[in-house]
Amino acid sequence: MKDSGIDTSVAHPARRYDYLLGGKDNFQADRQSAHEIEKRHPTARLSAQENRFFMHRAVRFMAREGIRQFLDIGTGIPTSPNTHEIAQETDPAARIVYVDNDPLVLVHARALLTGTEQGRTTYIQADLRRPDAILADDDLRATLDLTRPVGLLLIAVLHFIRDDDDPRAILDTLISALPSGSIVAASHATPEHMPAEQVAALRAVMERQWRDRTGTELAALFDRPDLRPVAPGVQSVSRWWAEQAPQPRPAVEEVASNGLVARVVRD
Protein backbone atom coordinates (compact mmCIF):
# COMPACT_ATOMS: atom_id res chain seq x y z
CA MET A 1 0.00 0.00 0.00
CA LYS A 2 1.17 3.53 -0.77
CA ASP A 3 0.02 6.50 1.27
CA SER A 4 1.30 10.00 0.48
CA GLY A 5 4.41 8.54 -1.08
CA ILE A 6 4.97 6.03 1.74
CA ASP A 7 5.23 2.48 0.42
CA THR A 8 4.43 0.26 3.39
CA SER A 9 5.01 -2.94 1.43
CA VAL A 10 8.77 -2.40 1.08
CA ALA A 11 11.16 -2.23 4.03
CA HIS A 12 12.90 1.11 4.47
CA PRO A 13 16.15 1.54 6.44
CA ALA A 14 14.81 4.42 8.56
CA ARG A 15 11.73 2.45 9.63
CA ARG A 16 13.70 -0.76 10.18
CA TYR A 17 16.17 1.20 12.32
CA ASP A 18 13.25 2.63 14.26
CA TYR A 19 12.00 -0.89 14.97
CA LEU A 20 15.43 -2.09 16.09
CA LEU A 21 15.61 0.89 18.47
CA GLY A 22 12.26 -0.08 19.97
CA GLY A 23 10.15 2.46 18.10
CA LYS A 24 6.59 2.07 16.85
CA ASP A 25 6.75 3.99 13.57
CA ASN A 26 7.28 1.02 11.26
CA PHE A 27 5.32 -1.45 9.19
CA GLN A 28 5.17 -5.21 8.76
CA ALA A 29 7.70 -5.18 5.92
CA ASP A 30 10.15 -3.27 8.08
CA ARG A 31 9.69 -5.64 11.01
CA GLN A 32 10.04 -8.70 8.80
CA SER A 33 13.24 -7.32 7.31
CA ALA A 34 14.59 -6.62 10.80
CA HIS A 35 13.73 -10.16 11.90
CA GLU A 36 15.64 -11.59 8.94
CA ILE A 37 18.66 -9.54 9.94
CA GLU A 38 18.34 -10.59 13.59
CA LYS A 39 18.32 -14.25 12.59
CA ARG A 40 21.78 -13.70 11.12
CA HIS A 41 23.00 -10.99 13.48
CA PRO A 42 21.31 -11.65 16.85
CA THR A 43 22.70 -8.47 18.39
CA ALA A 44 21.34 -6.19 15.64
CA ARG A 45 19.33 -4.20 18.20
CA LEU A 46 22.46 -3.63 20.24
CA SER A 47 24.29 -2.51 17.10
CA ALA A 48 21.54 0.02 16.37
CA GLN A 49 21.66 1.34 19.94
CA GLU A 50 25.44 1.63 19.94
CA ASN A 51 25.32 3.61 16.70
CA ARG A 52 22.87 5.94 18.39
CA PHE A 53 25.11 6.32 21.45
CA PHE A 54 28.05 7.07 19.14
CA MET A 55 26.01 9.83 17.51
CA HIS A 56 25.25 11.32 20.93
CA ARG A 57 28.94 11.42 21.85
CA ALA A 58 29.96 12.82 18.46
CA VAL A 59 27.45 15.69 18.66
CA ARG A 60 28.55 16.54 22.21
CA PHE A 61 32.17 16.55 21.04
CA MET A 62 31.33 18.83 18.13
CA ALA A 63 29.43 21.19 20.42
CA ARG A 64 32.34 21.33 22.88
CA GLU A 65 34.60 22.16 19.93
CA GLY A 66 32.46 25.18 19.07
CA ILE A 67 30.31 23.73 16.28
CA ARG A 68 26.93 25.47 16.23
CA GLN A 69 25.61 24.22 12.88
CA PHE A 70 24.83 20.59 12.09
CA LEU A 71 23.91 18.68 8.93
CA ASP A 72 22.50 15.27 9.87
CA ILE A 73 22.04 13.10 6.76
CA GLY A 74 20.17 9.83 7.17
CA THR A 75 18.30 11.19 10.16
CA GLY A 76 15.83 8.36 10.56
CA ILE A 77 12.59 8.58 12.49
CA PRO A 78 13.07 10.90 15.49
CA THR A 79 14.31 9.09 18.60
CA SER A 80 15.08 11.31 21.58
CA PRO A 81 17.59 12.68 22.22
CA ASN A 82 18.06 13.90 18.68
CA THR A 83 20.92 15.94 17.26
CA HIS A 84 19.21 19.27 17.91
CA GLU A 85 18.39 18.39 21.52
CA ILE A 86 22.01 17.54 22.28
CA ALA A 87 23.47 20.50 20.37
CA GLN A 88 21.04 22.99 21.88
CA GLU A 89 21.90 21.84 25.38
CA THR A 90 25.26 23.51 24.77
CA ASP A 91 23.92 26.48 22.81
CA PRO A 92 20.17 27.06 22.38
CA ALA A 93 20.96 29.02 19.22
CA ALA A 94 22.46 25.97 17.45
CA ARG A 95 21.05 25.29 13.98
CA ILE A 96 20.34 21.85 12.55
CA VAL A 97 19.29 20.51 9.17
CA TYR A 98 18.01 16.94 9.08
CA VAL A 99 17.95 14.98 5.82
CA ASP A 100 16.25 11.68 5.00
CA ASN A 101 14.64 10.14 1.93
CA ASP A 102 11.72 8.44 3.72
CA PRO A 103 8.53 10.52 3.55
CA LEU A 104 7.41 9.04 6.88
CA VAL A 105 10.38 10.75 8.51
CA LEU A 106 9.06 14.07 7.20
CA VAL A 107 5.70 13.45 8.86
CA HIS A 108 7.34 12.96 12.25
CA ALA A 109 10.03 15.58 11.76
CA ARG A 110 7.48 18.34 11.28
CA ALA A 111 5.93 17.47 14.63
CA LEU A 112 8.96 16.54 16.70
CA LEU A 113 12.12 18.18 15.36
CA THR A 114 11.23 21.69 16.46
CA GLY A 115 14.16 22.80 18.62
CA THR A 116 14.49 25.99 20.65
CA GLU A 117 13.13 29.45 19.87
CA GLN A 118 16.68 30.81 19.68
CA GLY A 119 17.91 28.19 17.23
CA ARG A 120 16.53 26.76 14.04
CA THR A 121 15.73 23.19 13.04
CA THR A 122 14.83 22.22 9.50
CA TYR A 123 14.07 18.91 7.81
CA ILE A 124 14.45 18.29 4.08
CA GLN A 125 13.42 15.18 2.20
CA ALA A 126 16.39 14.27 0.00
CA ASP A 127 18.67 11.40 -0.87
CA LEU A 128 22.34 11.11 0.09
CA ARG A 129 22.97 9.87 -3.46
CA ARG A 130 22.27 13.42 -4.66
CA PRO A 131 24.54 15.55 -2.48
CA ASP A 132 24.40 18.55 -4.83
CA ALA A 133 20.63 18.71 -4.37
CA ILE A 134 21.04 18.60 -0.58
CA LEU A 135 23.58 21.42 -0.58
CA ALA A 136 21.51 23.55 -2.96
CA ASP A 137 18.26 23.16 -1.04
CA ASP A 138 16.72 26.52 -0.14
CA ASP A 139 15.84 25.43 3.41
CA LEU A 140 19.38 24.25 4.04
CA ARG A 141 20.79 27.54 2.74
CA ALA A 142 18.36 29.50 4.92
CA THR A 143 19.38 27.51 8.01
CA LEU A 144 23.12 26.92 7.65
CA ASP A 145 25.89 29.35 6.79
CA LEU A 146 28.33 27.21 4.80
CA THR A 147 31.07 29.78 5.28
CA ARG A 148 31.16 28.82 8.98
CA PRO A 149 32.06 25.42 10.51
CA VAL A 150 29.45 22.67 10.23
CA GLY A 151 29.16 19.31 11.96
CA LEU A 152 28.35 16.70 9.29
CA LEU A 153 26.75 13.51 10.63
CA LEU A 154 26.54 10.33 8.54
CA ILE A 155 25.44 7.81 11.14
CA ALA A 156 24.60 4.27 9.98
CA VAL A 157 23.80 5.47 6.46
CA LEU A 158 26.89 5.01 4.27
CA HIS A 159 26.49 1.22 4.14
CA PHE A 160 23.33 1.85 2.09
CA ILE A 161 25.48 3.54 -0.55
CA ARG A 162 26.72 0.78 -2.82
CA ASP A 163 29.93 0.98 -4.81
CA ASP A 164 28.02 1.73 -8.02
CA ASP A 165 26.57 4.81 -6.27
CA ASP A 166 30.17 6.14 -6.03
CA PRO A 167 30.33 6.84 -2.28
CA ARG A 168 33.69 8.58 -2.59
CA ALA A 169 32.26 11.15 -5.02
CA ILE A 170 29.29 11.72 -2.70
CA LEU A 171 31.58 12.35 0.25
CA ASP A 172 33.92 14.54 -1.76
CA THR A 173 30.99 16.74 -2.78
CA LEU A 174 29.76 17.13 0.79
CA ILE A 175 33.13 17.62 2.45
CA SER A 176 34.38 20.04 -0.20
CA ALA A 177 31.39 22.26 0.63
CA LEU A 178 32.40 22.50 4.30
CA PRO A 179 34.76 25.24 5.51
CA SER A 180 37.86 24.63 7.57
CA GLY A 181 37.01 23.95 11.20
CA SER A 182 34.09 21.68 10.33
CA ILE A 183 33.91 18.19 11.83
CA VAL A 184 32.65 15.01 10.17
CA ALA A 185 31.36 11.94 12.04
CA ALA A 186 30.34 8.68 10.38
CA SER A 187 29.51 5.13 11.35
CA HIS A 188 29.35 2.11 9.08
CA ALA A 189 28.49 -1.60 9.27
CA THR A 190 31.58 -3.80 9.14
CA PRO A 191 32.04 -7.53 8.50
CA GLU A 192 35.46 -7.77 10.14
CA HIS A 193 34.33 -8.97 13.58
CA MET A 194 31.90 -11.61 12.30
CA PRO A 195 32.50 -15.23 11.29
CA ALA A 196 32.59 -15.66 7.51
CA GLU A 197 29.37 -17.69 7.45
CA GLN A 198 27.53 -14.95 9.34
CA VAL A 199 28.76 -12.32 6.92
CA ALA A 200 27.64 -14.43 3.96
CA ALA A 201 24.20 -14.94 5.50
CA LEU A 202 23.71 -11.22 6.10
CA ARG A 203 24.84 -10.31 2.62
CA ALA A 204 22.40 -12.83 1.17
CA VAL A 205 19.42 -10.96 2.63
CA MET A 206 20.80 -7.44 2.29
CA GLU A 207 22.86 -7.48 -0.90
CA ARG A 208 20.48 -5.24 -2.85
CA GLN A 209 20.32 -2.68 -0.05
CA TRP A 210 23.76 -2.34 1.43
CA ARG A 211 27.50 -2.77 1.18
CA ASP A 212 29.35 -3.53 4.39
CA ARG A 213 32.93 -2.22 4.55
CA THR A 214 35.92 -2.96 6.71
CA GLY A 215 37.58 -0.28 8.80
CA THR A 216 40.28 0.02 6.13
CA GLU A 217 37.66 0.53 3.43
CA LEU A 218 35.83 3.10 5.55
CA ALA A 219 39.06 5.01 6.19
CA ALA A 220 39.77 5.01 2.45
CA LEU A 221 36.46 6.78 1.75
CA PHE A 222 37.61 9.64 3.98
CA ASP A 223 41.23 9.70 2.86
CA ARG A 224 41.55 13.36 1.87
CA PRO A 225 44.41 15.81 2.46
CA ASP A 226 42.02 18.25 4.16
CA LEU A 227 40.71 15.73 6.70
CA ARG A 228 42.49 15.04 9.99
CA PRO A 229 41.20 11.97 11.86
CA VAL A 230 40.41 12.48 15.53
CA ALA A 231 41.92 9.85 17.85
CA PRO A 232 41.42 6.93 18.06
CA GLY A 233 40.72 6.94 14.29
CA VAL A 234 38.52 4.26 12.75
CA GLN A 235 37.33 2.15 15.66
CA SER A 236 34.33 0.08 16.71
CA VAL A 237 31.55 2.43 17.80
CA SER A 238 31.49 0.50 21.06
CA ARG A 239 35.09 1.64 21.71
CA TRP A 240 34.81 5.24 20.59
CA TRP A 241 35.36 7.41 23.74
CA ALA A 242 34.24 4.41 25.74
CA GLU A 243 34.68 6.23 29.05
CA GLN A 244 31.83 8.57 28.05
CA ALA A 245 29.50 5.73 27.04
CA PRO A 246 27.04 3.65 29.07
CA GLN A 247 28.80 0.89 30.98
CA PRO A 248 29.62 -1.94 30.67
CA ARG A 249 30.79 -1.72 27.06
CA PRO A 250 29.69 -4.47 24.65
CA ALA A 251 32.22 -6.52 22.71
CA VAL A 252 33.13 -5.34 19.21
CA GLU A 253 31.89 -8.71 17.88
CA GLU A 254 28.38 -7.87 19.12
CA VAL A 255 28.23 -4.43 17.55
CA ALA A 256 29.78 -4.95 14.08
CA SER A 257 29.96 -1.24 13.30
CA ASN A 258 32.88 1.15 13.02
CA GLY A 259 32.96 4.89 13.56
CA LEU A 260 35.24 7.78 12.72
CA VAL A 261 35.47 11.47 13.46
CA ALA A 262 37.61 13.87 11.43
CA ARG A 263 38.32 17.59 11.26
CA VAL A 264 38.29 19.62 8.08
CA VAL A 265 41.58 21.51 8.00
CA ARG A 266 42.54 23.77 5.11
CA ASP A 267 45.25 26.42 4.77
Side-chain angles (χ1 to χ4, degrees), residues 47-92:
S47 292
Q49 187 64 71
E50 285 297 317
N51 271 283
R52 196 75 186 169
F53 288 154
F54 171 72
M55 182 274 283
H56 296 168
R57 299 194 296 278
V59 174
R60 290 190 179 102
F61 170 76
M62 292 175 178
R64 290 196 303 269
E65 294 294 300
I67 299 293
R68 296 295 181 264
Q69 304 185 107
F70 298 82
L71 176 55
D72 185 340
I73 303 179
T75 300
I77 292 168
T79 303
S80 187
N82 293 292
T83 299
H84 73 277
E85 292 171 307
I86 297 169
Q88 291 174 350
E89 284 177 0
T90 298
D91 185 346

Side-chain angles (χ1 to χ4, degrees), residues 4-7 12 15 101-108 123 125:
S4 302
I6 300 171
D7 189 345
H12 190 281
R15 302 193 300 264
N101 66 355
D102 184 354
L104 185 63
V105 175
L106 175 60
V107 173
H108 291 277
Y123 171 81
Q125 186 176 329

